[in-house]
Amino acid sequence: MENMKDIMKGRLLEIKDEALKTIKEARTLEEFEQLRVKFLGKKGELTKVLRDMGKLAPEDRPIVGQIANEIRDELEETISSEKERLNNELKLAKLNKEKIDITITSKKKKVGHRHPLIATIEELEDLFISMGFSVVSGPEIETVENNFDALNSPENHPSRDMSDTFYITEDILLRTHTSPVQIRAMKEMGAPLRIVSAGRTFRFDDVDDTHSPMFHQLEGLVVDENISMANLIHTLDIFIKELFGPDMKTRFRPHHFPFTEPSAEVDVSCFKCRGKGCEACNFTGWSMELLGCGMVHPKVLEYCGIDSEKYSGFAFGMGIDRITMVKYGINDIRLFFENDNRFLEQF
Ligand code: PHE
């Protein structure tokens, strides 16, 4: 009987060792379940041994029983802790693999595109800055005084007509050109002065491929001692060559503006044939009326409180829409204002 107790003890320890070893090797939840059944189940190894309890001496039974219980507890604990470890590993692997993106996919923001007119304005401003001009701005809603009176435009001047100008009241209007910025600049800063100013201008025009009631101008003004027509011609000539290329020529034709005397309109070599003559320029070699200019009228200087005996000046105004059209070969001004990305994204 002594022997039986040792045999059973030995058998139990063997089961324990084997079970612990295989449990450590198990890699899936099913394997754990199989091992549990194999060692601890109703028909398992442990139960098999305990079936022989009857063969033990009564006083040995509690001893062997206790060993068996301890082994069962240990195996159960090992299985469940190993199972939990595996479970955690699986969960972690799954989490790592899944990586759920908890951010809401936002609507893709369409980044805007620089408008070709703005690109031209910036290029023009840069050029004039490099020539020592400062950039100023003025309001689109102006006084009749700044837009016409101060610029020496008589009451009966055709451009003051209701049919050409958007009047808001009798004294307030949408500026018809950027020239009122000349008045503002001279009043605010006095002489000497060298400014450019670009922005929107408005005239009552029917829309077609070259006309729009809203368009853009860039105004330039230089006031100083000893400023002459030669300075004006040279400045604009240099500017055109910088903007369009050194082979481009300028031609000054006499014209009339109430606020400059003498006044001129400037033509520039045709952009297409660069002066040779082609269909685009009616075989003249010139792009016509690109800008207006002249020597600031003494009355305008005096109106702004500048001594016209001491100071003189020149001014110019150019159509930015027109310049942008010839620069990029755009044949319809309406394209600028339709906001069609297919058009805008080309520049
Ligand atoms: N303001 C004039 C126009 O709109 C252009 C201009 C500006 C002419 C400055 C002379 C001097 O036509």
Side-chain angles (χ1 to χ4, degrees):
M1 285 297 179
E2 193 76 18
N3 215 12
M4 190 61 196
K5 182 183 114 190
D6 290 339
I7 290 171
M8 280 180 75
K9 247 168 106 179
R11 181 70 195 120
L12 286 173
L13 291 175
E14 263 172 44
I15 292 173
K16 178 182 145 180
D17 287 346
E18 195 200 337
L20 285 178
K21 203 176 128 221
T22 40
I23 289 167
K24 296 268 188 245
E25 282 165 3
R27 284 287 162 272
T28 65
L29 296 176
E30 294 81 60
E31 275 172 50
F32 281 117
E33 186 52 23
Q34 283 162 13
L35 290 176
R36 199 189 58 74
V37 173
K38 181 175 175 206
F39 292 106
L40 305 172
K42 267 187 201 144
K43 292 173 188 167
E45 306 274 336
L46 211 59
T47 323
K48 257 190 241 162
V49 179
L50 293 178
R51 257 188 225 130
D52 290 337
M53 285 287 261
K55 294 176 187 165
L56 283 173
E59 68 272 20
D60 287 337
R61 282 177 201 160
I63 300 170
V64 175
Q66 199 194 340
I67 295 174
N69 281 338
E70 277 168 14
I71 290 176
R72 171 185 303 269
D73 288 350
E74 190 180 344
L75 292 185
E76 264 170 3
E77 222 166 78
T78 310
I79 287 177
S80 81
S81 70
E82 285 295 300
K83 224 165 129 178
E84 197 180 305
R85 193 182 53 76
L86 178 72
N87 248 335
N88 286 340
E89 259 174 31
L90 292 176
K91 234 189 256 166
L92 204 71
K94 202 171 161 201
L95 280 179
N96 279 339
K97 211 166 76 188
E98 276 181 0
K99 279 227 167 89
I100 300 166
D101 182 1
I102 55 161
T103 55
I104 299 176
T105 43
S106 56
K107 271 191 195 150
K108 250 210 171 149
K109 262 206 192 120
K110 263 223 146 194
V111 178
H113 194 274
R114 195 150 68 146
H115 195 283
L117 289 175
I118 300 297
T120 303
I121 289 175
E122 286 177 358
E123 192 182 347
L124 296 178
E125 286 177 348
D126 280 350
L127 267 174
F128 281 107
I129 287 169
S130 75
M131 293 166 90
F133 287 72
S134 354
V135 174
V136 302
S137 61
E140 291 165 9
I141 299 173
E142 257 298 0
T143 58
V144 171
E145 186 186 339
N146 284 343
N147 195 85
F148 290 129
D149 299 326
L151 287 163
N152 195 34
S153 297
E155 289 267 355
N156 57 0
H157 194 273
S159 67
R160 296 186 69 142
D161 201 315
M162 288 288 276
S163 63
D164 282 347
T165 305
F166 292 107
Y167 283 90
I168 293 169
T169 68
E170 235 174 73
D171 309 317
I172 308 282
L173 44 66
L174 296 182
R175 64 178 178 185
T176 59
H177 49 179
T178 42
S179 298
V181 185
Q182 289 186 36
I183 305 301
R184 289 176 175 272
M186 284 190 276
K187 277 187 169 171
E188 269 169 43
M189 300 184 246
L193 184 77
R194 225 189 280 190
I195 57 108
V196 286
S197 183
R200 292 199 182 107
T201 47
F202 307 84
R203 278 179 213 175
F204 204 100
D205 252 332
D206 285 331
V207 177
D208 64 25
D209 54 355
T210 56
H211 293 88
S212 159
M214 190 270 286
F215 55 105
H216 297 73
Q217 287 191 338
L218 180 125
E219 192 81 12
L221 172 67
V222 171
V223 179
D224 209 333
E225 290 175 45
N226 302 317
I227 295 292
S228 75
M229 193 86 182
N231 301 126
L232 166 62
I233 291 174
H234 182 66
T235 303
L236 291 181
D237 194 55
I238 294 251
F239 157 73
I240 291 296
K241 286 184 164 57
E242 284 291 327
L243 186 65
F244 293 118
D247 57 328
M248 296 297 266
K249 292 193 176 67
T250 44
R251 176 172 80 174
F252 290 70
R253 275 183 296 103
H255 198 73
H256 171 77
F257 297 106
F259 37 93
T260 47
E261 182 59 35
S263 304
E265 261 189 345
V266 183
D267 306 328
V268 177
S269 306
C270 171
F271 300 92
K272 223 174 190 166
C273 62
R274 304 190 88 79
K276 287 189 199 76
C278 69
E279 299 237 352
C281 60
N282 267 331
F283 300 96
T284 61
W286 296 100
S287 287
M288 305 290 278
E289 298 170 25
L290 216 70
L291 48 94
C293 63
M295 301 306 294
V296 181
H297 199 293
K299 274 193 183 166
V300 176
L301 293 173
E302 294 293 340
Y303 187 94
C304 298
I306 291 173
D307 182 355
S308 65
E309 295 289 327
K310 185 175 176 198
Y311 291 104
S312 54
F314 67 76
F316 54 87
M318 59 186 82
I320 290 166
D321 312 79
R322 182 76 199 292
I323 289 181
T324 310
M325 285 169 80
V326 287
K327 192 162 183 272
Y328 295 112
I330 296 161
N331 55 16
D332 193 331
I333 194 172
R334 287 169 288 207
L335 290 166
F336 287 139
F337 310 122
E338 283 169 355
N339 277 339
D340 187 333
N341 270 336
R342 288 169 303 179
F343 168 74
L344 295 175
E345 278 165 4
Q346 295 176 59
F347 306 98

